[in-house]
Amino acid sequence: MSRDFRPAPEHRRIVFLTGAGLSARTGLGQFRGPGGLWRLEPELEAAMHGSALPASLPLLWRVWGRMARIAAAHGPTPGHLAIARLGAPVITQNIDGLHQAAGSADVSELHGSALRAVCLDGCCDWSIPLSPGEGDRAEDHGAPAQCPVCGAPTRPDVVLFDEQLPGAAIDRSLRLAREAELFVVVGTSGAVLPAARLAPLAREAGARTVLIDIDPPPAAGLRGVFDEVIRADCHDVLPSWERARRGVADNPFLHPF
Ligand SMILES: [Zn+2]
């Protein structure tokens, strides 16, 4: 365990892999856990499978629209902002658009985005950005109900439980992992996919691998995956990295993230 690790000058190519923990303080942390939205609405769990389409569309529009509005209302966290200011590419399991809102230009969304509509026909590549609202129709979120190209229903571009991850995002993630000099996992367990695959890949390709987690899983599960495990709040750690890289004194009074 190390709290003092910081990127070194030779770590020019930093790549982040992020998960739900990074967005937890926006209120989205309540989405899945005890007392969370899924617990309040048990039928939602069933609707989160591709096999429930298209009957599940009204529920998906309502739930992902609400989730996207919660995220947008809160805005990016100190961790999101620090990652963007470090100029590092991001691989994310999050669908809340907060990396883009923070200013990150290179974001690979492994689970899609609640801020985009796509066509229900998997062979049709129509898509548009959404303006999430309130309601269970596509129109409530700024999308037409039918795809203007092929006429199929539209849907939120969120990957459901039994659906494949988007190939382009997977390919980009694998390339980023191989090219990284420092591979940093934040807000997701290092022991589950895709972190369990990407972090070892980055390490084999020569990267130093780091997990930032306020309550990391038992060390045995991390051995062989991470060179450094930082047991701390990512919203403290990442801004301190960003300040150090800019050569600014690490004074939280001057930089009250
Ligand atoms: Zn279409």
Side-chain angles (χ1 to χ4, degrees), residues 118-127 146-154:
V118 291
C119 180
L120 195 61
D121 182 338
C123 298
C124 176
D125 59 6
W126 175 87
S127 80
Q146 266 82 42
C147 169
V149 176
C150 74
T154 60

Side-chain angles (χ1 to χ4, degrees), residues 222-235:
L222 306 175
R223 203 170 296 138
V225 178
F226 294 105
D227 298 305
E228 306 280 349
V229 176
I230 302 175
R231 184 192 289 268
D233 186 342
C234 65
H235 301 297

